[in-house]
Amino acid sequence: MTRRLLDAYGRTHAEEAGIRLRDMPAPLYQLLTLCVLFSVRIKADIAVAAARELSAAGMRTPRAMAAAGRQDRVRALGRAHYRRYDESTATALGEGAGLLLDRWRGDLRQLRAAADGDPARVRDLLREIPRIGPVGADIFCREAQGVWPELRPAFDRRALQAAAGLGLPGTPETLAALVGADELPRLAAALVRVGLTRGAAAGLREAD
C-alpha cells in the first residue's frame, strides 16, 4: 500500500514548483513563498504556478522579493491566474521578505537555529511571518523535514486521517517506520493529496 501510494501520489509541492530543496537560503525561501501562496483558498495547481512565475521573475530570495515592486508581484501572480488574493498576497510577500531580512538576515536557517531543535518552536516562528498560519506552517514542516531532521516525522492531522482510511499506522512514528528518511516528505505529501482527492483512497484500497 505504501509503495502504491508513493508511486501514485508521492510528489511534493516543492518538486511541482521546480524547487530543488536543500538546506540553503534560496530554496528554503522559495518553499516558504510557496507556503504563503497555499495559505488562502486557492487551487493547488494555481499556487504552484504562481510560485513558478515569481521565481521566473527573479523573486527567489527575500532581498529580491523586497526589491521588486508590489505591482511586479501582482503581475507575476496574475500571470498564474492567482486571482482574488493577488493584491493581499503581493503585500504579504513584501512584508514577509522584509521581516526575514530584518530578523533573520534573509536566511531561514537562522530561524531554525533560534528554534534550537524544537519543531513546535519552528512552527511558532514561521507563524510570525505574514500570511503563514497553521496550514502554511504544516506544509513547510512536512516538506522541509527532508533537510531539517529535527522536524521528523512531520505528518499533520490531514495526513494521519488519510493514513487511517488506507489502513496504515495511525501515529507519525509508526508511519515514518514504513519508509526511509529521504521519503518522508513524499509520504506526507501523498497522504494529504489522497485525503483531498475524491475516490483516491478507494482506488488504492481496491488495488489490493
Side-chain angles (χ1 to χ4, degrees):
M1 173 62 79
T2 303
R3 183 50 49 192
R4 287 199 305 274
L5 176 64
L6 289 172
D7 289 345
Y9 298 100
R11 195 165 187 222
T12 66
H13 291 313
E15 289 174 325
E16 291 176 327
I19 302 168
R20 185 185 171 198
L21 194 56
R22 294 170 293 155
D23 189 25
M24 298 292 290
L28 288 169
Y29 177 68
Q30 290 159 34
L31 173 60
L32 181 71
T33 297
L34 184 58
C35 294
V36 170
L37 296 169
F38 268 109
S39 292
V40 296
R41 291 184 178 275
I42 199 87
K43 290 183 178 178
D45 58 341
I46 293 177
V48 167
R52 285 184 172 273
E53 286 291 342
L54 290 166
S55 180
M59 301 176 221
R60 294 184 288 272
T61 67
R63 193 166 301 281
M65 185 69 77
R70 181 173 177 276
Q71 283 308 117
D72 290 334
R73 295 192 291 270
V74 170
R75 282 192 287 269
L77 295 171
R79 289 193 294 273
H81 306 291
Y82 194 96
R83 308 297 188 191
R84 183 180 176 188
Y85 302 104
D86 53 350
E87 297 277 350
S88 63
T89 299
T91 297
L93 287 169
E95 292 175 349
L99 184 150
L100 285 171
L101 289 168
D102 292 342
R103 186 170 181 186
W104 308 116
R105 298 183 183 178
D107 188 347
L108 283 164
R109 295 176 303 178
Q110 292 198 15
L111 179 152
R112 178 192 184 188
D116 196 26
D118 182 353
R121 183 61 177 154
V122 170
R123 286 177 167 82
D124 288 343
L125 291 173
L126 287 170
R127 291 180 61 182
E128 295 179 11
I129 297 167
R131 191 59 72 80
I132 295 291
V135 171
D138 281 344
I139 293 172
F140 186 94
C141 290
R142 74 172 185 247
E143 302 243 340
Q145 67 180 315
V147 293
W148 289 3
E150 68 272 21
L151 296 177
R152 301 171 189 161
F155 293 98
D156 58 27
R157 175 182 53 81
R158 291 178 298 177
L160 294 175
Q161 287 176 342
L166 293 172
L168 294 175
T171 68
E173 292 75 19
T174 51
L175 270 176
L178 298 175
V179 297
D182 59 331
E183 289 191 306
L184 286 173
R186 293 181 58 228
L187 179 58
L191 287 167
V192 171
R193 190 167 283 116
V194 165
L196 294 173
T197 304
R198 181 175 296 181
L204 287 168
R205 289 194 301 267
E206 289 169 3
D208 277 333

Short mmCIF file of all heavy atoms in Angstrom, two decimals, residues 129-160:
data_model
loop_
_atom_site.label_atom_id
_atom_site.label_comp_id
_atom_site.label_asym_id
_atom_site.label_seq_id
_atom_site.Cartn_x
_atom_site.Cartn_y
_atom_site.Cartn_z
N ILE A 129 5.47 35.05 10.41
CA ILE A 129 5.63 35.60 9.07
C ILE A 129 4.25 35.87 8.48
O ILE A 129 3.36 35.02 8.57
CB ILE A 129 6.42 34.61 8.19
CG1 ILE A 129 7.83 34.42 8.77
CG2 ILE A 129 6.50 35.09 6.74
CD1 ILE A 129 8.59 33.26 8.19
N PRO A 130 4.03 37.04 7.89
CA PRO A 130 2.71 37.37 7.35
C PRO A 130 2.14 36.29 6.44
O PRO A 130 2.84 35.77 5.57
CB PRO A 130 2.96 38.66 6.57
CG PRO A 130 4.10 39.30 7.29
CD PRO A 130 4.98 38.15 7.72
N ARG A 131 0.88 35.95 6.68
CA ARG A 131 0.07 35.01 5.91
C ARG A 131 0.36 33.55 6.26
O ARG A 131 -0.40 32.66 5.85
CB ARG A 131 0.25 35.26 4.41
CG ARG A 131 -0.71 34.54 3.48
CD ARG A 131 -2.15 34.87 3.73
NE ARG A 131 -2.52 36.21 3.30
CZ ARG A 131 -2.79 36.57 2.05
NH1 ARG A 131 -2.72 35.70 1.08
NH2 ARG A 131 -3.13 37.81 1.76
N ILE A 132 1.41 33.26 7.00
CA ILE A 132 1.68 31.87 7.38
C ILE A 132 0.88 31.54 8.64
O ILE A 132 1.12 32.09 9.71
CB ILE A 132 3.17 31.61 7.63
CG1 ILE A 132 3.98 31.80 6.35
CG2 ILE A 132 3.39 30.20 8.18
CD1 ILE A 132 3.74 30.75 5.29
N GLY A 133 -0.10 30.65 8.49
CA GLY A 133 -0.88 30.17 9.62
C GLY A 133 -0.56 28.72 9.89
O GLY A 133 0.47 28.20 9.42
N PRO A 134 -1.42 28.02 10.61
CA PRO A 134 -1.16 26.61 10.90
C PRO A 134 -0.99 25.76 9.65
O PRO A 134 -0.12 24.88 9.61
CB PRO A 134 -2.40 26.19 11.69
CG PRO A 134 -2.93 27.45 12.29
CD PRO A 134 -2.65 28.53 11.29
N VAL A 135 -1.81 25.99 8.62
CA VAL A 135 -1.70 25.18 7.40
C VAL A 135 -0.37 25.44 6.70
O VAL A 135 0.34 24.50 6.31
CB VAL A 135 -2.87 25.48 6.44
CG1 VAL A 135 -2.65 24.80 5.09
CG2 VAL A 135 -4.19 25.00 7.04
N GLY A 136 -0.01 26.71 6.56
CA GLY A 136 1.27 27.02 5.92
C GLY A 136 2.45 26.46 6.68
O GLY A 136 3.41 25.96 6.08
N ALA A 137 2.40 26.55 8.01
CA ALA A 137 3.49 26.00 8.82
C ALA A 137 3.57 24.49 8.67
O ALA A 137 4.67 23.91 8.61
CB ALA A 137 3.31 26.39 10.28
N ASP A 138 2.41 23.82 8.61
CA ASP A 138 2.41 22.36 8.41
C ASP A 138 3.01 21.99 7.06
O ASP A 138 3.79 21.02 6.97
CB ASP A 138 0.98 21.83 8.50
CG ASP A 138 0.48 21.68 9.93
OD1 ASP A 138 1.31 21.69 10.85
OD2 ASP A 138 -0.75 21.56 10.12
N ILE A 139 2.65 22.72 6.02
CA ILE A 139 3.20 22.42 4.70
C ILE A 139 4.71 22.58 4.71
O ILE A 139 5.45 21.72 4.21
CB ILE A 139 2.56 23.33 3.63
CG1 ILE A 139 1.08 23.02 3.46
CG2 ILE A 139 3.29 23.15 2.29
CD1 ILE A 139 0.34 24.00 2.57
N PHE A 140 5.18 23.69 5.28
CA PHE A 140 6.62 23.91 5.33
C PHE A 140 7.33 22.77 6.05
O PHE A 140 8.33 22.23 5.56
CB PHE A 140 6.94 25.25 6.01
CG PHE A 140 8.41 25.60 5.98
CD1 PHE A 140 8.91 26.40 4.97
CD2 PHE A 140 9.28 25.12 6.95
CE1 PHE A 140 10.27 26.72 4.92
CE2 PHE A 140 10.63 25.42 6.90
CZ PHE A 140 11.12 26.22 5.88
N CYS A 141 6.81 22.39 7.21
CA CYS A 141 7.49 21.37 8.02
C CYS A 141 7.46 20.00 7.37
O CYS A 141 8.45 19.26 7.43
CB CYS A 141 6.88 21.31 9.42
SG CYS A 141 7.26 22.77 10.42
N ARG A 142 6.34 19.62 6.74
CA ARG A 142 6.32 18.29 6.14
C ARG A 142 7.23 18.23 4.91
O ARG A 142 7.76 17.17 4.60
CB ARG A 142 4.89 17.87 5.83
CG ARG A 142 4.22 18.51 4.66
CD ARG A 142 2.89 17.81 4.38
NE ARG A 142 2.25 18.31 3.20
CZ ARG A 142 1.10 19.00 3.18
NH1 ARG A 142 0.47 19.27 4.30
NH2 ARG A 142 0.59 19.42 2.05
N GLU A 143 7.45 19.36 4.23
CA GLU A 143 8.36 19.35 3.08
C GLU A 143 9.80 19.53 3.53
O GLU A 143 10.71 18.90 2.98
CB GLU A 143 7.95 20.44 2.10
CG GLU A 143 6.51 20.31 1.60
CD GLU A 143 6.38 20.06 0.11
OE1 GLU A 143 7.33 20.36 -0.63
OE2 GLU A 143 5.33 19.54 -0.31
N ALA A 144 10.03 20.38 4.53
CA ALA A 144 11.39 20.66 4.97
C ALA A 144 11.97 19.55 5.83
O ALA A 144 13.18 19.55 6.10
CB ALA A 144 11.43 21.97 5.74
N GLN A 145 11.15 18.59 6.27
CA GLN A 145 11.71 17.51 7.10
C GLN A 145 12.77 16.71 6.34
O GLN A 145 13.59 16.03 6.96
CB GLN A 145 10.60 16.59 7.61
CG GLN A 145 9.88 15.77 6.55
CD GLN A 145 8.79 14.89 7.13
OE1 GLN A 145 8.98 14.22 8.15
NE2 GLN A 145 7.62 14.89 6.51
N GLY A 146 12.78 16.81 5.04
CA GLY A 146 13.82 16.13 4.28
C GLY A 146 15.19 16.73 4.48
O GLY A 146 16.20 16.04 4.30
N VAL A 147 15.26 18.03 4.85
CA VAL A 147 16.56 18.69 5.03
C VAL A 147 16.77 19.17 6.47
O VAL A 147 17.89 19.51 6.84
CB VAL A 147 16.72 19.87 4.05
CG1 VAL A 147 16.81 19.36 2.62
CG2 VAL A 147 15.60 20.89 4.18
N TRP A 148 15.69 19.23 7.26
CA TRP A 148 15.80 19.57 8.68
C TRP A 148 15.36 18.36 9.50
O TRP A 148 14.18 18.20 9.83
CB TRP A 148 14.93 20.78 9.02
CG TRP A 148 15.42 22.09 8.46
CD1 TRP A 148 16.51 22.28 7.67
CD2 TRP A 148 14.83 23.38 8.66
NE1 TRP A 148 16.64 23.62 7.35
CE2 TRP A 148 15.63 24.31 7.95
CE3 TRP A 148 13.71 23.83 9.37
CZ2 TRP A 148 15.33 25.68 7.93
CZ3 TRP A 148 13.42 25.19 9.35
CH2 TRP A 148 14.23 26.10 8.65
N PRO A 149 16.27 17.46 9.85
CA PRO A 149 15.90 16.20 10.51
C PRO A 149 15.11 16.36 11.80
O PRO A 149 14.32 15.47 12.16
CB PRO A 149 17.26 15.54 10.77
CG PRO A 149 18.17 16.12 9.75
CD PRO A 149 17.71 17.53 9.58
N GLU A 150 15.29 17.47 12.53
CA GLU A 150 14.58 17.62 13.79
C GLU A 150 13.07 17.74 13.61
O GLU A 150 12.31 17.58 14.58
CB GLU A 150 15.10 18.84 14.57
CG GLU A 150 14.79 20.19 13.94
CD GLU A 150 15.83 20.65 12.94
OE1 GLU A 150 16.58 19.78 12.43
OE2 GLU A 150 15.90 21.85 12.67
N LEU A 151 12.61 17.99 12.39
CA LEU A 151 11.18 18.08 12.13
C LEU A 151 10.54 16.70 11.96
O LEU A 151 9.32 16.59 11.97
CB LEU A 151 10.92 18.91 10.87
CG LEU A 151 11.33 20.38 10.91
CD1 LEU A 151 11.07 21.03 9.56
CD2 LEU A 151 10.61 21.12 12.03
N ARG A 152 11.35 15.68 11.78
CA ARG A 152 10.82 14.34 11.52
C ARG A 152 10.29 13.69 12.80
O ARG A 152 10.90 13.85 13.85
CB ARG A 152 11.93 13.45 10.93
CG ARG A 152 12.54 13.95 9.65
CD ARG A 152 13.75 13.12 9.28
NE ARG A 152 14.47 13.74 8.16
CZ ARG A 152 15.74 13.47 7.86
NH1 ARG A 152 16.43 12.59 8.58
NH2 ARG A 152 16.32 14.07 6.83
N PRO A 153 9.19 12.93 12.66
CA PRO A 153 8.34 12.80 11.47
C PRO A 153 7.25 13.87 11.47
O PRO A 153 6.61 14.10 12.50
CB PRO A 153 7.74 11.41 11.63
CG PRO A 153 7.66 11.21 13.12
CD PRO A 153 8.82 11.98 13.72
N ALA A 154 7.06 14.53 10.34
CA ALA A 154 6.07 15.60 10.22
C ALA A 154 4.88 15.11 9.40
O ALA A 154 4.91 15.13 8.17
CB ALA A 154 6.70 16.83 9.58
N PHE A 155 3.87 14.62 10.11
CA PHE A 155 2.61 14.21 9.48
C PHE A 155 1.49 14.98 10.20
O PHE A 155 1.27 14.77 11.39
CB PHE A 155 2.37 12.71 9.63
CG PHE A 155 3.34 11.86 8.87
CD1 PHE A 155 4.44 11.31 9.52
CD2 PHE A 155 3.17 11.61 7.52
CE1 PHE A 155 5.35 10.52 8.83
CE2 PHE A 155 4.07 10.81 6.83
CZ PHE A 155 5.16 10.28 7.47
N ASP A 156 0.83 15.86 9.48
CA ASP A 156 -0.22 16.66 10.12
C ASP A 156 -1.52 15.87 10.21
O ASP A 156 -1.61 14.71 9.81
CB ASP A 156 -0.40 17.99 9.39
CG ASP A 156 -0.75 17.83 7.92
OD1 ASP A 156 -1.34 16.79 7.54
OD2 ASP A 156 -0.44 18.75 7.14
N ARG A 157 -2.54 16.52 10.76
CA ARG A 157 -3.82 15.86 11.01
C ARG A 157 -4.42 15.27 9.73
O ARG A 157 -4.92 14.15 9.73
CB ARG A 157 -4.81 16.85 11.63
CG ARG A 157 -6.21 16.32 11.84
CD ARG A 157 -7.12 17.38 12.41
NE ARG A 157 -7.09 18.59 11.62
CZ ARG A 157 -7.80 18.77 10.50
NH1 ARG A 157 -8.58 17.79 10.05
NH2 ARG A 157 -7.75 19.90 9.83
N ARG A 158 -4.33 16.01 8.63
CA ARG A 158 -4.91 15.52 7.38
C ARG A 158 -4.19 14.27 6.88
O ARG A 158 -4.82 13.34 6.38
CB ARG A 158 -4.87 16.62 6.32
CG ARG A 158 -5.80 17.78 6.61
CD ARG A 158 -5.70 18.86 5.55
NE ARG A 158 -4.37 19.43 5.49
CZ ARG A 158 -3.98 20.36 4.62
NH1 ARG A 158 -4.83 20.79 3.71
NH2 ARG A 158 -2.77 20.84 4.64
N ALA A 159 -2.86 14.25 7.03
CA ALA A 159 -2.10 13.07 6.61
C ALA A 159 -2.46 11.86 7.47
O ALA A 159 -2.62 10.75 6.95
CB ALA A 159 -0.61 13.36 6.71
N LEU A 160 -2.60 12.07 8.77
CA LEU A 160 -2.93 10.96 9.66
C LEU A 160 -4.33 10.42 9.40
O LEU A 160 -4.56 9.21 9.45
CB LEU A 160 -2.80 11.41 11.12
CG LEU A 160 -1.37 11.77 11.57
CD1 LEU A 160 -1.40 12.31 12.99
CD2 LEU A 160 -0.44 10.57 11.47
#
